[in-house]
């Protein structure tokens, strides 16, 4: 089986992607996740602790792992040039990107390159040969024609993956998929571990590429396990939102003269696409964020606990996108998928009651967010007065409300805050324990009624941060790769690799099945 490809993600990624052109002109697309279940057996102490924790929690200055570091940072991390156990979904797509065939199973994969997001985007954007070599450790010992060939292959692989993802996304959006907005922030800490700044991370097309591959895999994995275990498949769904949850979205859109249609996902998506202010690119992002907040959070469930019309389209948990460690539902998914592919009686699959209880526990431990109200009136009835370069002052006064704005009448003047206005706030951090249902800042204060950083300044800062991240992660990736190369994967590893792993030899089980398939096609 050819599973030699690239792993694109954050440092320590558990996700890989492969593409290849087949002899018949079709395209092969593969999505692979590290097989945690090979090391964590059901019912073991590690499994029990992982279920209790449900997920890995990332804070600004620390993380609370769900699994031991030897797994999360080593054996279940897709490192270039190193064989790794994986669970894979591989599709054959025709020229219109329709699925001709799909294969599920356990594999042994070896990534040719480990690319973090910024580097993969840099490759796609036309980086020079020197830029690529400087940031890709696997290329630094090559030269001449061999180096040029490898770079061409790498650029082609990244571009192919992004092209396929664009087509998959286009088909999904045409079918009524809703594209919303979520902002990931980078926390900058001082030497004393206090928060100095929150900076929005730069969103790149490569993020959408990997996300689209995961969405595609989610659907097909969920379809497979739901067909096999109609009453006890662990899936995810988005409960339908109530109309009254869209009040903030509608009000903010009206300020700019936009109308939002919430009758269906398709009409909402089309409405949001039209909500564009040429003078302020942030407006559309904010409206999509408000639409996201109006939606119900994704919830895990067992198929036996809900009627079918409440969880279609099907959605699984085959999706370690921006996390380094598998969550407990990912391990359950792997077990169920293998049981569906092989034989259900070979593996003990939890029943509906057990999975429902697990789902409730997981849902309680994955609702993290950062929220904080901004007050214009204090507890003792005073109102705020702000001006650039001066500390906010609380004075006597009144507040008036309209449909789209708030007017603060203070001792000095009247200040109006209209929906979608840019303001500057400060947030002081709270001491946060490891596992709880939400993360909040204890206090949010208004500083100025003007933006802290202009849109053009944000773009310039993002470029500088990207360059710094590329350098830092390249160095860390090489150190991690060298540290892992010599790790022992067990006495049976080479035997399993010979039977199931990637190979050009004609003696693997995969090639034998392929020959049976070709013979059957010729004689049918």
């Amino acid at each position: 089986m050819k599973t030699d490809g690239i792993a694109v993600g954050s440092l320590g990624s558990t996700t890989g992607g492969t593409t290849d052109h087949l002899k018949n002109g079709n395209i092969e697309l593969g999505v692979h996740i590290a097989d945690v279940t090979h090391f964590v057996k059901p019912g073991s102490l590690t499994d029990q602790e992982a279920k209790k924790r449900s997920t890995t929690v990332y804070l600004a200055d620390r993380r609370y792992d769900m699994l031991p570091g030897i797994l999360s940072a080593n054996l279940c991390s897709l490192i270039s040039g190193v064989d790794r156990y994986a669970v894979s979904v591989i599709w054959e797509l025709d020229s219109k990107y329709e699925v001709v065939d799909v294969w599920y199973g356990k594999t042994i994969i070896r990534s040719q390159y480990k690319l973090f997001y910024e580097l993969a985007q840099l490759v796609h954007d036309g980086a020079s040969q020197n830029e690529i070599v400087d940031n890709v450790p696997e290329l630094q010992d090559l030269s001449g024609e061999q180096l040029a060939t490898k770079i061409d292959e790498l650029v082609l692989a990244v571009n192919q993956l992004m092209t396929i993802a664009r087509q998959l996304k286009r088909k999904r959006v045409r079918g009524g998929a809703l594209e919303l907005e979520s902002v990931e922030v980078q926390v900058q800490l001082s030497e004393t571990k206090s928060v100095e700044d929150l900076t929005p991370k730069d969103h790149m097309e490569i993020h959408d590429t990997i996300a689209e591959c995961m969405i595609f895999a989610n659907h097909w994995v969920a379809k497979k396990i739901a067909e096999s275990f109609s009453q006890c498949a662990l899936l995810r769904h988005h409960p339908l939102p109530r109309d009254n949850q869209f009040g903030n979205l509608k009000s903010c859109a009206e300020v700019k003269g936009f109308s939002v249609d919430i009758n269906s996902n398709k009409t909402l998506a089309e409405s949001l696409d039209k909500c564009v202010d040429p003078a302020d690119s942030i407006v559309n992002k904010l409206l999509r964020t408000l639409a996201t907040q109006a939606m119900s959070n994704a919830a895990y469930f067992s198929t036996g606990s809900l009627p079918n019309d409440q969880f279609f389209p099907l959605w699984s948990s085959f999706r370690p996108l921006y996390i380094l460690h598998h969550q407990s539902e990912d391990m359950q998914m792997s077990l169920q998928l293998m049981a569906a592919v092989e034989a259900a009686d070979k593996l003990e699959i939890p029943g509906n009651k057990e999975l429902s209880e697990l789902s409730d526990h997981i849902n309680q431990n994955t609702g993290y967010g950062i929220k904080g109200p901004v007050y214009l009136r204090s507890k003792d009835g005073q109102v705020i007065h702000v001006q650039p370069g001066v500390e906010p002052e609380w004075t006597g006064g009144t507040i008036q409300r309209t449909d789209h704005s708030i007017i603060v009448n203070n001792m000095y003047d009247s200040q109006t805050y209209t929906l979608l206005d840019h303001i500057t706030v400060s947030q002081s951090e709270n001491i946060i324990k490891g596992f709880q249902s939400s993360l909040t800042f204890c206090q949010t204060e208004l500083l100025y009624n003007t933006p802290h950083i202009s849109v053009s300044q944000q773009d310039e800062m993002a470029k500088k941060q990207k360059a710094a991240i590329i350098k830092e992660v390249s160095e860390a990736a090489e150190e991690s790769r060298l540290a892992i190369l010599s790790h022992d994967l067990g006495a049976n590893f080479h035997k399993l690799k010979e039977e199931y792993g990637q190979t050009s030899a004609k003696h693997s089980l995969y090639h034998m099945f392929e020959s049976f398939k070709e013979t059957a096609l010729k004689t049918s």
Side-chain angles (χ1 to χ4, degrees):
M1 175 174 299
K2 184 174 182 180
T3 53
D4 201 10
I6 57 174
V8 179
S10 47
L11 184 60
S13 177
T14 54
T15 305
T18 56
T19 62
D20 191 24
H21 284 281
L22 304 177
K23 292 180 179 179
N24 61 5
N26 289 342
I27 301 170
E28 182 182 87
L29 171 67
V31 172
H32 320 273
I33 64 171
D35 184 13
V36 178
T37 60
H38 180 84
F39 303 97
V40 181
K41 301 306 178 184
S44 65
L45 292 177
T46 303
D47 180 47
Q48 293 177 37
E49 181 64 22
K51 285 182 179 178
K52 180 181 177 182
R53 298 191 176 201
S54 299
T55 185
T56 293
V57 176
Y58 289 87
L59 303 180
D61 61 340
R62 77 204 73 164
R63 76 178 185 222
Y64 295 87
D65 291 336
M66 189 194 82
L67 292 171
I70 186 63
L71 295 181
S72 58
N74 190 331
L75 296 179
C76 295
S77 180
L78 303 185
I79 305 299
S80 62
V82 180
D83 291 318
R84 285 292 182 255
Y85 295 113
V87 177
S88 303
V89 184
I90 300 175
W91 302 267
E92 181 180 342
L93 308 174
D94 63 19
S95 59
K96 296 182 179 180
Y97 300 93
E98 297 290 345
V99 176
V100 176
D101 195 14
V102 59
W103 180 89
Y104 309 86
K106 291 195 173 187
T107 56
I108 295 174
I109 71 171
R110 177 185 294 179
S111 298
Q112 293 186 54
Y113 305 99
K114 171 64 184 299
L115 306 181
F116 51 93
Y117 292 113
E118 290 80 5
L119 179 53
Q121 187 67 51
L122 188 69
V123 169
H124 171 72
D125 292 342
S128 67
Q129 177 172 305
N130 288 339
E131 284 181 301
I132 295 177
V133 173
D134 289 344
N135 292 291
V136 180
E138 297 88 348
L139 297 175
Q140 292 175 0
D141 293 331
L142 304 179
S143 61
E145 185 176 341
Q146 185 183 20
L147 174 61
T149 299
K150 286 294 184 181
I151 290 179
D152 289 343
E153 291 175 352
L154 173 60
V155 173
L156 179 62
V158 172
N159 289 343
Q160 282 181 340
L161 193 63
M162 295 181 77
T163 298
I164 293 170
R166 288 189 204 112
Q167 297 300 324
L168 295 178
K169 181 176 181 178
R170 186 174 292 115
K171 291 168 64 68
R172 189 169 59 85
V173 171
R174 280 203 305 262
L178 181 60
E179 292 297 307
L180 298 176
E181 181 77 17
S182 61
V183 179
E184 187 177 0
V185 296
Q186 182 175 356
V187 182
Q188 296 180 5
L189 300 176
S190 67
E191 293 182 358
T192 59
K193 297 297 180 71
S194 62
V195 177
E196 288 189 334
D197 197 10
L198 296 175
T199 307
K201 288 189 177 180
D202 190 24
H203 184 80
M204 298 169 287
E205 185 186 357
I206 191 65
H207 289 134
D208 295 332
T209 297
I210 302 304
E212 207 60 42
C213 291
M214 293 300 101
I215 291 171
F216 199 52
N218 278 332
H219 172 72
W220 283 89
V221 170
K223 184 173 182 290
K224 183 66 176 180
I225 61 178
E227 287 173 351
S228 301
F229 310 107
S230 60
Q231 295 300 305
C232 57
L234 181 62
L235 301 180
R236 293 189 297 161
H237 75 135
H238 287 270
L240 294 175
R242 298 185 179 91
D243 289 350
N244 58 14
Q245 293 176 276
F246 289 97
N248 287 338
L249 172 62
K250 288 183 174 180
S251 296
C252 289
E254 289 171 359
V255 172
K256 294 291 184 178
F258 302 133
S259 177
V260 176
D261 186 344
I262 62 171
N263 288 323
S264 69
N265 278 358
K266 188 173 180 61
T267 59
L268 177 57
E270 292 172 349
S271 297
L272 291 174
D273 288 341
K274 298 175 182 177
C275 295
V276 177
D277 183 351
D280 189 352
S281 61
I282 303 298
V283 168
N284 189 262
K285 294 181 179 180
L286 286 175
L287 293 179
R288 291 182 185 275
T289 299
L290 290 173
T292 301
Q293 294 175 355
M295 297 293 179
S296 301
N297 291 333
Y300 295 92
F301 72 102
S302 173
T303 48
S305 62
L306 286 178
N308 287 4
D309 59 1
Q310 291 193 30
F311 57 84
F312 283 93
L314 295 172
W315 187 252
S316 77
S317 58
F318 195 84
R319 49 107 194 92
L321 284 180
Y322 302 104
I323 54 177
L324 310 188
H325 312 265
H326 286 263
Q327 300 179 339
S328 57
E329 68 272 14
D330 292 315
M331 293 192 287
Q332 288 293 333
M333 176 281 305
S334 295
L335 290 172
Q336 290 189 329
L337 178 60
M338 287 304 96
V341 171
E342 298 170 357
D345 57 356
K346 289 185 179 180
L347 295 171
E348 293 185 8
I349 300 301
N352 178 58
K353 183 177 183 298
E354 183 179 345
L355 287 180
S356 294
E357 293 173 352
L358 176 61
S359 298
D360 291 340
H361 177 66
I362 294 171
N363 292 335
Q364 292 173 5
N365 284 284
T366 55
Y368 296 95
I370 297 175
K371 299 180 180 179
V374 178
Y375 294 103
L376 302 179
R377 178 188 284 136
S378 65
K379 292 181 179 179
D380 56 9
Q382 292 186 310
V383 299
I384 196 168
H385 174 257
V386 296
Q387 54 184 325
V390 180
E391 286 290 322
E393 182 180 354
W394 295 94
T395 74
T398 61
I399 286 181
Q400 296 175 259
R401 296 175 182 272
T402 69
D403 289 341
H404 302 130
S405 64
I406 295 178
I407 303 171
V408 179
N409 301 304
N410 53 59
M411 288 177 55
Y412 304 101
D413 54 24
S414 293
Q415 297 180 327
T416 301
Y417 298 87
T418 304
L419 291 175
L420 299 182
D421 276 354
H422 292 242
I423 61 174
T424 301
V425 300
S426 67
Q427 290 182 313
S428 56
E429 72 271 22
N430 194 3
I431 297 176
I432 304 170
K433 296 183 178 180
F435 290 88
Q436 58 184 40
S437 60
S438 65
L439 304 178
T440 61
F441 279 99
C442 61
Q443 190 172 6
T444 304
E445 296 179 344
L446 177 65
L447 294 182
Y448 315 120
N449 54 1
T450 56
H452 177 55
I453 301 175
S454 68
V455 174
S456 59
Q457 287 176 315
Q458 290 182 21
D459 293 340
E460 185 62 30
M461 289 178 62
K463 292 178 182 178
K464 293 180 180 179
Q465 289 174 350
K466 182 188 293 187
I469 290 173
I470 288 175
K471 181 179 179 182
E472 180 182 349
V473 179
S474 293
E475 295 172 352
E478 176 63 4
E479 292 177 3
S480 178
R481 187 180 74 89
L482 294 175
I484 291 173
L485 280 173
S486 60
H487 195 86
D488 184 10
L489 294 178
N492 294 328
F493 180 79
H494 293 292
K495 180 181 178 182
L496 290 168
K497 178 186 175 183
E498 182 179 350
E499 186 171 6
Y500 297 107
Q502 61 197 44
T503 176
S504 58
K506 300 301 180 183
H507 306 295
S508 69
L509 192 62
Y510 172 77
H511 281 90
M512 182 179 71
F513 286 149
E514 280 294 289
S515 65
F516 290 166
K517 177 182 176 181
E518 292 176 5
T519 302
L521 290 174
K522 291 177 181 178
T523 57
S524 60

